[in-house]
Amino acid sequence: MTRSRRWRLRSTLLPLAVLMSLVLPALSPAGAHARADGRIIGGTPVDIADHPWVVALVDTTTKRAFCAGALVAPAKVVTAGHCLLNRDRRRLRVVAGRTDLFAKDTGTIARVAGAAVHPGLHTPMPYVNDVAVLTLDGALPYGTVPWVSPREDETYEPGTTGWVFGWGRTEESGTASPRQLRTVSVPLWDGDACEAAYPDRIDQSAMVCAGTGGSDSCQGDSGGPLVVDGRLVGLVSWGTGCGRPDLPGVYTRLDRYATWIDRAVRAA
Ligand code: 4AZ
């Protein structure tokens, strides 16, 4: 190739590359939101002392938190059923009382003595009956969160503000999860709007959509608590991407499972 041809090639490719670098991020929802507010999912770091019932599920092999959960009794954790898929209980730990997951000298680590996964758990996505109760090997010295009662339609009134907690990604396409516990407020969606966002994938009595373009849960937040007025009403279950305005997060609607949880928590 002669020098002049090489230059001609470069002079056509270079503007093209510049153009693509401008156009591509605008096309990707992740890029769009990242520019809008500096992070996709919104929310703020919080201290575990103010929300002592939020726990992380950690795999001893990878040393990473892969899900979250809620302490509902001193030795019982409610989490998403899909968090336990293909997990060896002996390699599972519940980390409580620790805001920064790297701060190994804080909090308490519990082993899991037993796990009750809802027998109707449907996998793969869209998950249905996505709930489980873990029994820990001992009582944890932290506050617990109450869960909803059966059939509480008024609690899930569209527009109600929920708070979701977890150590999951702060950007849809980010790789690392934050060390620090975060929370974000998410408005609960109307059931029909939720179903319209995910046609044929929503059971309105068992799932609730929540979030906006700027507030959502993401990978790693699964099983994490959705709280309304200080009560556990949902669990992070699934969704397409994170923080996309038209695709909210989907949560297990716990009033549907309140009786099942009552029984699992009372069991040894
Ligand atoms: C996940 O992969 C996941 N935006 C959790 C929540 C949402 C999407 C994915 C909701 O664990």
Side-chain angles (χ1 to χ4, degrees):
M1 205 188 287
T2 66
R3 183 177 288 200
S4 70
R5 269 192 66 198
R6 207 181 298 147
W7 172 244
R8 259 203 315 273
L9 196 60
R10 204 183 293 160
S11 60
T12 46
L13 284 180
L14 197 65
L16 194 66
V18 169
L19 192 69
M20 292 300 271
S21 70
L22 290 173
V23 166
L24 281 179
L27 288 177
S28 110
H33 295 125
R35 269 205 323 279
D37 64 4
R39 56 177 180 263
I40 298 174
I41 312 178
T44 47
V46 286
D47 196 298
I48 197 79
D50 298 320
H51 317 278
W53 33 266
V54 187
V55 302
L57 306 191
V58 173
D59 186 302
T60 56
T61 311
T62 62
K63 315 244 187 256
R64 282 177 192 283
F66 59 91
C67 273
L71 195 68
V72 296
K76 298 282 184 177
V77 166
V78 173
T79 186
H82 85 261
C83 287
L84 301 177
L85 286 175
N86 308 316
R87 293 276 167 193
D88 182 345
R89 267 211 310 280
R90 290 165 302 186
R91 288 205 286 265
L92 184 60
R93 297 290 182 272
V94 168
V95 178
R98 186 177 290 175
T99 301
D100 173 355
L101 291 179
F102 288 15
K104 307 271 185 219
D105 53 341
T106 65
T108 308
I109 300 177
R111 288 169 182 264
V112 176
V117 178
H118 194 286
L121 173 67
H122 173 275
T123 61
M125 274 197 349
Y127 303 122
V128 187
N129 303 310
D130 197 9
V131 56
V133 174
L134 305 178
T135 299
L136 308 181
D137 67 348
L140 290 176
Y142 302 106
T144 58
V145 65
W147 65 96
V148 287
S149 306
R151 296 186 161 276
E152 277 200 22
D153 284 341
E154 63 289 355
T155 298
Y156 299 88
E157 200 61 34
T160 298
T161 296
W163 293 87
V164 59
F165 295 83
W167 288 268
R169 290 182 179 182
T170 54
E171 294 178 85
E172 176 177 315
S173 49
T175 45
S177 285
R179 297 163 50 163
Q180 179 95 6
L181 175 63
R182 304 178 72 92
T183 190
V184 66
S185 69
V186 286
L188 305 193
W189 281 42
D190 164 72
D192 288 341
C194 177
E195 218 174 313
Y198 295 108
D200 304 317
R201 299 171 83 190
I202 299 295
D203 173 351
Q204 292 191 26
S205 73
M207 303 170 187
V208 59
C209 281
T212 67
S215 65
D216 194 9
S217 47
C218 199
Q219 195 180 321
D221 290 321
S222 275
L226 174 70
V227 171
V228 170
D229 291 334
R231 289 188 318 152
L232 182 66
V233 307
L235 302 172
V236 177
S237 182
W238 59 277
T240 299
C242 307
R244 302 188 189 186
D246 304 324
L247 294 169
V250 183
Y251 296 78
T252 308
R253 200 180 133 148
L254 285 181
D255 69 329
R256 163 79 174 261
Y257 302 98
T259 308
W260 185 83
I261 294 172
D262 292 344
R263 240 181 273 128
V265 169
R266 270 199 307 268

